[in-house]
Amino acid sequence: MSREKQVAIFGSGTGSNAHAILRAAREGRLGGQVAVVVTDVPGAGILDFAKEFGVPAVTIDPGKRGGGRLADETLEEMESLMLRFSVDLVVLAGFMRIVRDPFLSAFEGRILNIHPSLLPKYPGLHTVRRAMEAGETETGCTIHLVDAGVDTGQILRQERVPILEGDTERAVYARIQEAEHRAYPEVISERLENL
Ligand code: GRF
């Protein structure tokens, strides 16, 4: 029998996507298991979900480079963590740092990200507000491969949600998150199958 595929989830915040992925793994819908949860934010909500699901969690020190950039030593630490946990696929879920070489090349084609807009529209921050201010009638989320740019890699899946008359930013974002929680485990499972 072949070895079960191993996923690492990286996040800096609440971890609602991590929760959806952990649930999918527990219910046998992920096509693999979550080996480790990694955060750069001590005490981040995502750590609670790791605990709830009995998955090892590691808090990394991003270093002092600023602007979302990770220190060289942190990238090295991340790579050796992935080796230690035999990770096949790296899943970014609200990880507020820019992943770069040598980590990027070591995991080329095996790092996914989820972004709350229909890329290439609205990369970066405050995506929902910017979409609403521009008068868009729909937005959504994008799951893509990570490359050296910010929110620029090959798009694997997009889910669209409407922006309705009288909507608040919070309401639209909640609609996007619902779509994220549905789509991310599915795309991870497809990707694992093709590794
Ligand atoms: C998600 O909306 C994702 O699109 C963005 O960061 C958010 C993370 O949310 N990259 P959560 O921590 O998974 O709740």
Side-chain angles (χ1 to χ4, degrees), residues 148-193:
V150 175
D151 304 324
T152 51
Q154 185 196 329
I155 292 175
L156 302 176
R157 171 88 73 96
Q158 290 194 307
E159 295 287 329
R160 316 180 96 79
V161 305
I163 298 178
L164 305 170
E165 203 60 40
D167 257 343
T168 58
E169 189 179 336
R170 186 192 285 253
V172 175
Y173 188 55
R175 212 170 284 143
I176 292 176
Q177 284 230 298
E178 230 179 270
E180 290 188 337
H181 301 160
R182 238 186 359 258
Y184 215 0
E186 285 178 15
V187 174
I188 292 167
S189 151
E190 286 162 17
R191 201 72 200 165
L192 287 174
E193 220 173 292

mmCIF file of all heavy atoms in Angstrom, residues 148-193:
data_model
loop_
_atom_site.group_PDB
_atom_site.id
_atom_site.type_symbol
_atom_site.label_atom_id
_atom_site.label_comp_id
_atom_site.label_asym_id
_atom_site.label_seq_id
_atom_site.Cartn_x
_atom_site.Cartn_y
_atom_site.Cartn_z
ATOM 1 N N ALA A 148 6.802 33.328 -7.391
ATOM 2 C CA ALA A 148 7.585 34.366 -6.705
ATOM 3 C C ALA A 148 6.826 35.683 -6.544
ATOM 4 O O ALA A 148 7.217 36.549 -5.761
ATOM 5 C CB ALA A 148 8.890 34.598 -7.455
ATOM 6 N N GLY A 149 5.720 35.864 -7.253
ATOM 7 C CA GLY A 149 4.949 37.109 -7.124
ATOM 8 C C GLY A 149 3.973 37.040 -5.955
ATOM 9 O O GLY A 149 3.913 36.046 -5.243
ATOM 10 N N VAL A 150 3.221 38.121 -5.776
ATOM 11 C CA VAL A 150 2.196 38.125 -4.727
ATOM 12 C C VAL A 150 0.839 37.876 -5.401
ATOM 13 O O VAL A 150 0.386 38.691 -6.211
ATOM 14 C CB VAL A 150 2.191 39.478 -3.967
ATOM 15 C CG1 VAL A 150 1.055 39.518 -2.956
ATOM 16 C CG2 VAL A 150 3.529 39.681 -3.265
ATOM 17 N N ASP A 151 0.224 36.743 -5.086
ATOM 18 C CA ASP A 151 -1.087 36.360 -5.624
ATOM 19 C C ASP A 151 -1.086 36.250 -7.155
ATOM 20 O O ASP A 151 -2.059 36.637 -7.815
ATOM 21 C CB ASP A 151 -2.172 37.360 -5.161
ATOM 22 C CG ASP A 151 -2.222 37.493 -3.643
ATOM 23 O OD1 ASP A 151 -2.015 36.485 -2.956
ATOM 24 O OD2 ASP A 151 -2.459 38.610 -3.142
ATOM 25 N N THR A 152 0.001 35.722 -7.720
ATOM 26 C CA THR A 152 0.129 35.691 -9.181
ATOM 27 C C THR A 152 0.220 34.294 -9.793
ATOM 28 O O THR A 152 0.237 34.181 -11.014
ATOM 29 C CB THR A 152 1.409 36.441 -9.622
ATOM 30 O OG1 THR A 152 2.502 35.933 -8.864
ATOM 31 C CG2 THR A 152 1.280 37.928 -9.434
ATOM 32 N N GLY A 153 0.319 33.249 -9.005
ATOM 33 C CA GLY A 153 0.592 31.914 -9.579
ATOM 34 C C GLY A 153 -0.570 31.349 -10.386
ATOM 35 O O GLY A 153 -1.674 31.922 -10.410
ATOM 36 N N GLN A 154 -0.311 30.230 -11.023
ATOM 37 C CA GLN A 154 -1.324 29.570 -11.871
ATOM 38 C C GLN A 154 -2.626 29.304 -11.104
ATOM 39 O O GLN A 154 -2.615 28.717 -10.022
ATOM 40 C CB GLN A 154 -0.759 28.235 -12.382
ATOM 41 C CG GLN A 154 -1.668 27.524 -13.367
ATOM 42 C CD GLN A 154 -1.264 26.070 -13.542
ATOM 43 O OE1 GLN A 154 -0.090 25.705 -13.437
ATOM 44 N NE2 GLN A 154 -2.241 25.217 -13.795
ATOM 45 N N ILE A 155 -3.727 29.736 -11.701
ATOM 46 C CA ILE A 155 -5.031 29.589 -11.037
ATOM 47 C C ILE A 155 -5.562 28.167 -11.205
ATOM 48 O O ILE A 155 -5.596 27.632 -12.322
ATOM 49 C CB ILE A 155 -6.029 30.623 -11.612
ATOM 50 C CG1 ILE A 155 -5.577 32.033 -11.198
ATOM 51 C CG2 ILE A 155 -7.452 30.347 -11.130
ATOM 52 C CD1 ILE A 155 -6.386 33.162 -11.793
ATOM 53 N N LEU A 156 -5.954 27.567 -10.081
ATOM 54 C CA LEU A 156 -6.478 26.201 -10.113
ATOM 55 C C LEU A 156 -8.003 26.182 -10.007
ATOM 56 O O LEU A 156 -8.658 25.300 -10.548
ATOM 57 C CB LEU A 156 -5.877 25.376 -8.965
ATOM 58 C CG LEU A 156 -4.355 25.265 -8.938
ATOM 59 C CD1 LEU A 156 -3.902 24.516 -7.697
ATOM 60 C CD2 LEU A 156 -3.834 24.563 -10.189
ATOM 61 N N ARG A 157 -8.563 27.136 -9.283
ATOM 62 C CA ARG A 157 -10.030 27.154 -9.104
ATOM 63 C C ARG A 157 -10.484 28.542 -8.689
ATOM 64 O O ARG A 157 -9.800 29.213 -7.916
ATOM 65 C CB ARG A 157 -10.416 26.148 -8.008
ATOM 66 C CG ARG A 157 -11.869 26.182 -7.540
ATOM 67 C CD ARG A 157 -12.804 25.303 -8.339
ATOM 68 N NE ARG A 157 -12.574 23.899 -8.008
ATOM 69 C CZ ARG A 157 -13.298 23.213 -7.113
ATOM 70 N NH1 ARG A 157 -14.286 23.788 -6.476
ATOM 71 N NH2 ARG A 157 -13.021 21.948 -6.891
ATOM 72 N N GLN A 158 -11.631 28.952 -9.212
ATOM 73 C CA GLN A 158 -12.256 30.190 -8.733
ATOM 74 C C GLN A 158 -13.710 29.906 -8.410
ATOM 75 O O GLN A 158 -14.371 29.142 -9.108
ATOM 76 C CB GLN A 158 -12.165 31.286 -9.807
ATOM 77 C CG GLN A 158 -10.734 31.764 -9.984
ATOM 78 C CD GLN A 158 -10.618 33.044 -10.775
ATOM 79 O OE1 GLN A 158 -11.162 33.114 -11.878
ATOM 80 N NE2 GLN A 158 -9.914 34.017 -10.248
ATOM 81 N N GLU A 159 -14.174 30.491 -7.328
ATOM 82 C CA GLU A 159 -15.587 30.391 -6.945
ATOM 83 C C GLU A 159 -16.134 31.805 -6.910
ATOM 84 O O GLU A 159 -15.537 32.697 -6.301
ATOM 85 C CB GLU A 159 -15.719 29.775 -5.547
ATOM 86 C CG GLU A 159 -15.263 28.340 -5.438
ATOM 87 C CD GLU A 159 -16.209 27.351 -6.095
ATOM 88 O OE1 GLU A 159 -17.436 27.621 -6.120
ATOM 89 O OE2 GLU A 159 -15.726 26.318 -6.598
ATOM 90 N N ARG A 160 -17.269 32.018 -7.551
ATOM 91 C CA ARG A 160 -17.843 33.361 -7.617
ATOM 92 C C ARG A 160 -18.965 33.499 -6.600
ATOM 93 O O ARG A 160 -19.716 32.546 -6.358
ATOM 94 C CB ARG A 160 -18.417 33.619 -9.010
ATOM 95 C CG ARG A 160 -17.504 33.143 -10.131
ATOM 96 C CD ARG A 160 -18.097 33.414 -11.489
ATOM 97 N NE ARG A 160 -17.580 34.660 -12.022
ATOM 98 C CZ ARG A 160 -16.375 34.793 -12.595
ATOM 99 N NH1 ARG A 160 -15.583 33.752 -12.724
ATOM 100 N NH2 ARG A 160 -15.966 35.950 -13.046
ATOM 101 N N VAL A 161 -19.066 34.683 -5.991
ATOM 102 C CA VAL A 161 -20.216 34.980 -5.118
ATOM 103 C C VAL A 161 -20.747 36.363 -5.503
ATOM 104 O O VAL A 161 -19.983 37.224 -5.931
ATOM 105 C CB VAL A 161 -19.862 34.949 -3.599
ATOM 106 C CG1 VAL A 161 -19.222 33.647 -3.189
ATOM 107 C CG2 VAL A 161 -18.994 36.118 -3.218
ATOM 108 N N PRO A 162 -22.067 36.578 -5.340
ATOM 109 C CA PRO A 162 -22.623 37.873 -5.729
ATOM 110 C C PRO A 162 -22.349 38.954 -4.683
ATOM 111 O O PRO A 162 -22.191 38.653 -3.497
ATOM 112 C CB PRO A 162 -24.132 37.589 -5.804
ATOM 113 C CG PRO A 162 -24.349 36.454 -4.869
ATOM 114 C CD PRO A 162 -23.098 35.625 -4.884
ATOM 115 N N ILE A 163 -22.295 40.185 -5.134
ATOM 116 C CA ILE A 163 -22.349 41.340 -4.215
ATOM 117 C C ILE A 163 -23.732 41.944 -4.420
ATOM 118 O O ILE A 163 -24.064 42.394 -5.521
ATOM 119 C CB ILE A 163 -21.252 42.378 -4.541
ATOM 120 C CG1 ILE A 163 -19.860 41.760 -4.380
ATOM 121 C CG2 ILE A 163 -21.420 43.605 -3.626
ATOM 122 C CD1 ILE A 163 -18.708 42.695 -4.734
ATOM 123 N N LEU A 164 -24.548 41.899 -3.370
ATOM 124 C CA LEU A 164 -25.944 42.296 -3.519
ATOM 125 C C LEU A 164 -26.160 43.722 -3.041
ATOM 126 O O LEU A 164 -25.381 44.249 -2.218
ATOM 127 C CB LEU A 164 -26.842 41.332 -2.724
ATOM 128 C CG LEU A 164 -26.663 39.846 -3.090
ATOM 129 C CD1 LEU A 164 -27.401 38.957 -2.096
ATOM 130 C CD2 LEU A 164 -27.138 39.581 -4.509
ATOM 131 N N GLU A 165 -27.200 44.332 -3.521
ATOM 132 C CA GLU A 165 -27.651 45.655 -3.097
ATOM 133 C C GLU A 165 -27.700 45.710 -1.565
ATOM 134 O O GLU A 165 -28.278 44.822 -0.946
ATOM 135 C CB GLU A 165 -29.074 45.806 -3.689
ATOM 136 C CG GLU A 165 -29.629 47.185 -3.895
ATOM 137 C CD GLU A 165 -28.821 48.071 -4.831
ATOM 138 O OE1 GLU A 165 -28.324 47.598 -5.855
ATOM 139 O OE2 GLU A 165 -28.711 49.255 -4.481
ATOM 140 N N GLY A 166 -27.082 46.684 -0.939
ATOM 141 C CA GLY A 166 -27.179 46.852 0.517
ATOM 142 C C GLY A 166 -26.239 45.949 1.309
ATOM 143 O O GLY A 166 -26.271 45.962 2.548
ATOM 144 N N ASP A 167 -25.432 45.157 0.644
ATOM 145 C CA ASP A 167 -24.482 44.274 1.335
ATOM 146 C C ASP A 167 -23.459 45.072 2.147
ATOM 147 O O ASP A 167 -23.025 46.135 1.712
ATOM 148 C CB ASP A 167 -23.689 43.453 0.303
ATOM 149 C CG ASP A 167 -24.177 42.027 0.183
ATOM 150 O OD1 ASP A 167 -24.886 41.562 1.096
ATOM 151 O OD2 ASP A 167 -23.850 41.383 -0.828
ATOM 152 N N THR A 168 -23.056 44.521 3.287
ATOM 153 C CA THR A 168 -21.919 45.092 4.015
ATOM 154 C C THR A 168 -20.679 44.298 3.602
ATOM 155 O O THR A 168 -20.783 43.177 3.083
ATOM 156 C CB THR A 168 -22.098 44.946 5.536
ATOM 157 O OG1 THR A 168 -22.239 43.547 5.810
ATOM 158 C CG2 THR A 168 -23.320 45.698 6.032
ATOM 159 N N GLU A 169 -19.519 44.890 3.888
ATOM 160 C CA GLU A 169 -18.250 44.212 3.589
ATOM 161 C C GLU A 169 -18.208 42.866 4.311
ATOM 162 O O GLU A 169 -17.798 41.849 3.759
ATOM 163 C CB GLU A 169 -17.107 45.120 4.053
ATOM 164 C CG GLU A 169 -15.748 44.655 3.615
ATOM 165 C CD GLU A 169 -14.636 45.606 4.069
ATOM 166 O OE1 GLU A 169 -14.907 46.800 4.316
ATOM 167 O OE2 GLU A 169 -13.490 45.138 4.183
ATOM 168 N N ARG A 170 -18.679 42.894 5.556
ATOM 169 C CA ARG A 170 -18.657 41.682 6.371
ATOM 170 C C ARG A 170 -19.528 40.570 5.760
ATOM 171 O O ARG A 170 -19.148 39.402 5.734
ATOM 172 C CB ARG A 170 -19.173 42.035 7.770
ATOM 173 C CG ARG A 170 -19.079 40.895 8.763
ATOM 174 C CD ARG A 170 -19.874 41.244 9.999
ATOM 175 N NE ARG A 170 -19.171 42.232 10.810
ATOM 176 C CZ ARG A 170 -18.579 41.958 11.965
ATOM 177 N NH1 ARG A 170 -18.638 40.746 12.459
ATOM 178 N NH2 ARG A 170 -17.965 42.882 12.653
ATOM 179 N N ALA A 171 -20.695 40.965 5.244
ATOM 180 C CA ALA A 171 -21.613 39.973 4.658
ATOM 181 C C ALA A 171 -20.990 39.346 3.406
ATOM 182 O O ALA A 171 -21.078 38.133 3.189
ATOM 183 C CB ALA A 171 -22.943 40.632 4.318
ATOM 184 N N VAL A 172 -20.360 40.180 2.604
ATOM 185 C CA VAL A 172 -19.753 39.661 1.367
ATOM 186 C C VAL A 172 -18.593 38.733 1.722
ATOM 187 O O VAL A 172 -18.439 37.647 1.155
ATOM 188 C CB VAL A 172 -19.267 40.819 0.462
ATOM 189 C CG1 VAL A 172 -18.532 40.274 -0.763
ATOM 190 C CG2 VAL A 172 -20.438 41.690 0.042
ATOM 191 N N TYR A 173 -17.794 39.146 2.703
ATOM 192 C CA TYR A 173 -16.647 38.321 3.097
ATOM 193 C C TYR A 173 -17.102 36.966 3.649
ATOM 194 O O TYR A 173 -16.504 35.918 3.364
ATOM 195 C CB TYR A 173 -15.762 39.067 4.106
ATOM 196 C CG TYR A 173 -14.480 38.334 4.399
ATOM 197 C CD1 TYR A 173 -13.625 37.963 3.377
ATOM 198 C CD2 TYR A 173 -14.137 37.981 5.700
ATOM 199 C CE1 TYR A 173 -12.454 37.266 3.628
ATOM 200 C CE2 TYR A 173 -12.971 37.288 5.968
ATOM 201 C CZ TYR A 173 -12.137 36.930 4.928
ATOM 202 O OH TYR A 173 -10.983 36.231 5.176
ATOM 203 N N ALA A 174 -18.209 36.987 4.417
ATOM 204 C CA ALA A 174 -18.744 35.725 4.961
ATOM 205 C C ALA A 174 -19.145 34.795 3.823
ATOM 206 O O ALA A 174 -18.918 33.574 3.877
ATOM 207 C CB ALA A 174 -19.940 36.009 5.864
ATOM 208 N N ARG A 175 -19.734 35.382 2.770
ATOM 209 C CA ARG A 175 -20.132 34.590 1.600
ATOM 210 C C ARG A 175 -18.887 33.996 0.921
ATOM 211 O O ARG A 175 -18.882 32.847 0.493
ATOM 212 C CB ARG A 175 -20.866 35.527 0.636
ATOM 213 C CG ARG A 175 -21.944 34.890 -0.175
ATOM 214 C CD ARG A 175 -22.763 35.955 -0.899
ATOM 215 N NE ARG A 175 -23.693 36.656 -0.031
ATOM 216 C CZ ARG A 175 -23.984 37.967 -0.132
ATOM 217 N NH1 ARG A 175 -23.411 38.728 -1.048
ATOM 218 N NH2 ARG A 175 -24.846 38.511 0.694
ATOM 219 N N ILE A 176 -17.830 34.788 0.848
ATOM 220 C CA ILE A 176 -16.582 34.292 0.232
ATOM 221 C C ILE A 176 -16.013 33.150 1.070
ATOM 222 O O ILE A 176 -15.592 32.117 0.537
ATOM 223 C CB ILE A 176 -15.536 35.429 0.120
ATOM 224 C CG1 ILE A 176 -15.980 36.476 -0.894
ATOM 225 C CG2 ILE A 176 -14.161 34.864 -0.259
ATOM 226 C CD1 ILE A 176 -15.058 37.673 -0.996
ATOM 227 N N GLN A 177 -16.024 33.335 2.380
ATOM 228 C CA GLN A 177 -15.421 32.303 3.239
ATOM 229 C C GLN A 177 -16.163 30.973 3.128
ATOM 230 O O GLN A 177 -15.549 29.908 3.133
ATOM 231 C CB GLN A 177 -15.350 32.797 4.685
ATOM 232 C CG GLN A 177 -14.204 33.801 4.863
ATOM 233 C CD GLN A 177 -13.315 33.460 6.043
ATOM 234 O OE1 GLN A 177 -13.774 33.439 7.182
ATOM 235 N NE2 GLN A 177 -12.043 33.208 5.787
ATOM 236 N N GLU A 178 -17.477 31.053 3.005
ATOM 237 C CA GLU A 178 -18.258 29.831 2.821
ATOM 238 C C GLU A 178 -17.780 29.090 1.569
ATOM 239 O O GLU A 178 -17.600 27.868 1.576
ATOM 240 C CB GLU A 178 -19.719 30.240 2.614
ATOM 241 C CG GLU A 178 -20.708 29.512 3.489
ATOM 242 C CD GLU A 178 -22.091 30.044 3.190
ATOM 243 O OE1 GLU A 178 -22.486 31.016 3.854
ATOM 244 O OE2 GLU A 178 -22.744 29.511 2.261
ATOM 245 N N ALA A 179 -17.565 29.861 0.508
ATOM 246 C CA ALA A 179 -17.076 29.269 -0.752
ATOM 247 C C ALA A 179 -15.662 28.709 -0.563
ATOM 248 O O ALA A 179 -15.331 27.630 -1.070
ATOM 249 C CB ALA A 179 -17.103 30.317 -1.860
ATOM 250 N N GLU A 180 -14.837 29.434 0.188
ATOM 251 C CA GLU A 180 -13.457 28.975 0.428
ATOM 252 C C GLU A 180 -13.460 27.622 1.130
ATOM 253 O O GLU A 180 -12.719 26.714 0.762
ATOM 254 C CB GLU A 180 -12.709 29.988 1.300
ATOM 255 C CG GLU A 180 -12.403 31.294 0.598
ATOM 256 C CD GLU A 180 -11.496 32.229 1.410
ATOM 257 O OE1 GLU A 180 -11.437 32.102 2.652
ATOM 258 O OE2 GLU A 180 -10.864 33.075 0.808
ATOM 259 N N HIS A 181 -14.297 27.523 2.170
ATOM 260 C CA HIS A 181 -14.298 26.307 2.987
ATOM 261 C C HIS A 181 -14.768 25.092 2.178
ATOM 262 O O HIS A 181 -14.383 23.969 2.460
ATOM 263 C CB HIS A 181 -15.179 26.505 4.223
ATOM 264 C CG HIS A 181 -14.715 27.643 5.086
ATOM 265 N ND1 HIS A 181 -15.514 28.263 6.004
ATOM 266 C CD2 HIS A 181 -13.512 28.281 5.134
ATOM 267 C CE1 HIS A 181 -14.825 29.232 6.588
ATOM 268 N NE2 HIS A 181 -13.617 29.266 6.080
ATOM 269 N N ARG A 182 -15.615 25.346 1.198
ATOM 270 C CA ARG A 182 -16.077 24.267 0.320
ATOM 271 C C ARG A 182 -14.974 23.894 -0.679
ATOM 272 O O ARG A 182 -14.675 22.731 -0.891
ATOM 273 C CB ARG A 182 -17.305 24.759 -0.455
ATOM 274 C CG ARG A 182 -18.536 23.931 -0.271
ATOM 275 C CD ARG A 182 -19.703 24.346 -1.144
ATOM 276 N NE ARG A 182 -19.527 25.478 -2.030
ATOM 277 C CZ ARG A 182 -20.003 26.709 -1.782
ATOM 278 N NH1 ARG A 182 -20.660 26.957 -0.675
ATOM 279 N NH2 ARG A 182 -19.822 27.695 -2.654
ATOM 280 N N ALA A 183 -14.391 24.926 -1.300
ATOM 281 C CA ALA A 183 -13.505 24.672 -2.451
ATOM 282 C C ALA A 183 -12.104 24.195 -2.066
ATOM 283 O O ALA A 183 -11.521 23.351 -2.764
ATOM 284 C CB ALA A 183 -13.398 25.950 -3.289
ATOM 285 N N TYR A 184 -11.549 24.742 -0.971
ATOM 286 C CA TYR A 184 -10.129 24.464 -0.694
ATOM 287 C C TYR A 184 -9.863 22.967 -0.482
ATOM 288 O O TYR A 184 -8.973 22.403 -1.133
ATOM 289 C CB TYR A 184 -9.644 25.318 0.475
ATOM 290 C CG TYR A 184 -8.189 25.791 0.354
ATOM 291 C CD1 TYR A 184 -7.400 25.452 -0.734
ATOM 292 C CD2 TYR A 184 -7.606 26.589 1.343
ATOM 293 C CE1 TYR A 184 -6.086 25.887 -0.848
ATOM 294 C CE2 TYR A 184 -6.289 27.039 1.237
ATOM 295 C CZ TYR A 184 -5.530 26.677 0.142
ATOM 296 O OH TYR A 184 -4.230 27.104 0.027
ATOM 297 N N PRO A 185 -10.660 22.286 0.387
ATOM 298 C CA PRO A 185 -10.402 20.846 0.554
ATOM 299 C C PRO A 185 -10.521 20.072 -0.760
ATOM 300 O O PRO A 185 -9.753 19.144 -1.016
ATOM 301 C CB PRO A 185 -11.492 20.411 1.547
ATOM 302 C CG PRO A 185 -11.864 21.652 2.285
ATOM 303 C CD PRO A 185 -11.722 22.765 1.289
ATOM 304 N N GLU A 186 -11.446 20.491 -1.622
ATOM 305 C CA GLU A 186 -11.619 19.793 -2.912
ATOM 306 C C GLU A 186 -10.383 19.949 -3.783
ATOM 307 O O GLU A 186 -9.897 18.983 -4.377
ATOM 308 C CB GLU A 186 -12.827 20.373 -3.668
ATOM 309 C CG GLU A 186 -14.160 19.936 -3.106
ATOM 310 C CD GLU A 186 -15.329 20.560 -3.852
ATOM 311 O OE1 GLU A 186 -15.136 21.110 -4.974
ATOM 312 O OE2 GLU A 186 -16.441 20.518 -3.301
ATOM 313 N N VAL A 187 -9.867 21.168 -3.864
ATOM 314 C CA VAL A 187 -8.702 21.418 -4.722
ATOM 315 C C VAL A 187 -7.468 20.705 -4.156
ATOM 316 O O VAL A 187 -6.660 20.138 -4.898
ATOM 317 C CB VAL A 187 -8.445 22.938 -4.873
ATOM 318 C CG1 VAL A 187 -7.162 23.201 -5.636
ATOM 319 C CG2 VAL A 187 -9.623 23.587 -5.579
ATOM 320 N N ILE A 188 -7.343 20.704 -2.840
ATOM 321 C CA ILE A 188 -6.207 20.001 -2.204
ATOM 322 C C ILE A 188 -6.267 18.518 -2.569
ATOM 323 O O ILE A 188 -5.266 17.911 -2.947
ATOM 324 C CB ILE A 188 -6.239 20.196 -0.667
ATOM 325 C CG1 ILE A 188 -5.946 21.658 -0.335
ATOM 326 C CG2 ILE A 188 -5.250 19.263 0.027
ATOM 327 C CD1 ILE A 188 -6.253 22.044 1.102
ATOM 328 N N SER A 189 -7.455 17.959 -2.473
ATOM 329 C CA SER A 189 -7.616 16.545 -2.778
ATOM 330 C C SER A 189 -7.263 16.258 -4.245
ATOM 331 O O SER A 189 -6.566 15.278 -4.553
ATOM 332 C CB SER A 189 -9.051 16.134 -2.427
ATOM 333 O OG SER A 189 -9.479 15.106 -3.231
ATOM 334 N N GLU A 190 -7.699 17.133 -5.161
ATOM 335 C CA GLU A 190 -7.356 16.947 -6.584
ATOM 336 C C GLU A 190 -5.845 17.007 -6.782
ATOM 337 O O GLU A 190 -5.256 16.225 -7.517
ATOM 338 C CB GLU A 190 -8.000 18.052 -7.442
ATOM 339 C CG GLU A 190 -9.497 17.883 -7.624
ATOM 340 C CD GLU A 190 -10.175 19.175 -8.088
ATOM 341 O OE1 GLU A 190 -9.480 20.114 -8.576
ATOM 342 O OE2 GLU A 190 -11.403 19.254 -7.921
ATOM 343 N N ARG A 191 -5.243 17.966 -6.096
ATOM 344 C CA ARG A 191 -3.797 18.167 -6.252
ATOM 345 C C ARG A 191 -3.022 16.972 -5.699
ATOM 346 O O ARG A 191 -2.059 16.510 -6.294
ATOM 347 C CB ARG A 191 -3.421 19.452 -5.494
ATOM 348 C CG ARG A 191 -2.164 20.092 -5.913
ATOM 349 C CD ARG A 191 -2.291 20.754 -7.275
ATOM 350 N NE ARG A 191 -0.986 20.952 -7.854
ATOM 351 C CZ ARG A 191 -0.750 21.248 -9.134
ATOM 352 N NH1 ARG A 191 -1.735 21.385 -9.974
ATOM 353 N NH2 ARG A 191 0.477 21.397 -9.558
ATOM 354 N N LEU A 192 -3.446 16.480 -4.548
ATOM 355 C CA LEU A 192 -2.757 15.327 -3.934
ATOM 356 C C LEU A 192 -2.833 14.110 -4.841
ATOM 357 O O LEU A 192 -1.884 13.347 -4.971
ATOM 358 C CB LEU A 192 -3.367 15.010 -2.568
ATOM 359 C CG LEU A 192 -3.047 15.973 -1.423
ATOM 360 C CD1 LEU A 192 -3.836 15.601 -0.168
ATOM 361 C CD2 LEU A 192 -1.546 15.999 -1.116
ATOM 362 N N GLU A 193 -3.972 13.974 -5.473
ATOM 363 C CA GLU A 193 -4.169 12.835 -6.374
ATOM 364 C C GLU A 193 -3.183 12.878 -7.538
ATOM 365 O O GLU A 193 -2.766 11.841 -8.048
ATOM 366 C CB GLU A 193 -5.594 12.904 -6.934
ATOM 367 C CG GLU A 193 -6.266 11.557 -7.038
ATOM 368 C CD GLU A 193 -7.716 11.756 -7.423
ATOM 369 O OE1 GLU A 193 -8.471 12.293 -6.593
ATOM 370 O OE2 GLU A 193 -8.050 11.410 -8.551
#
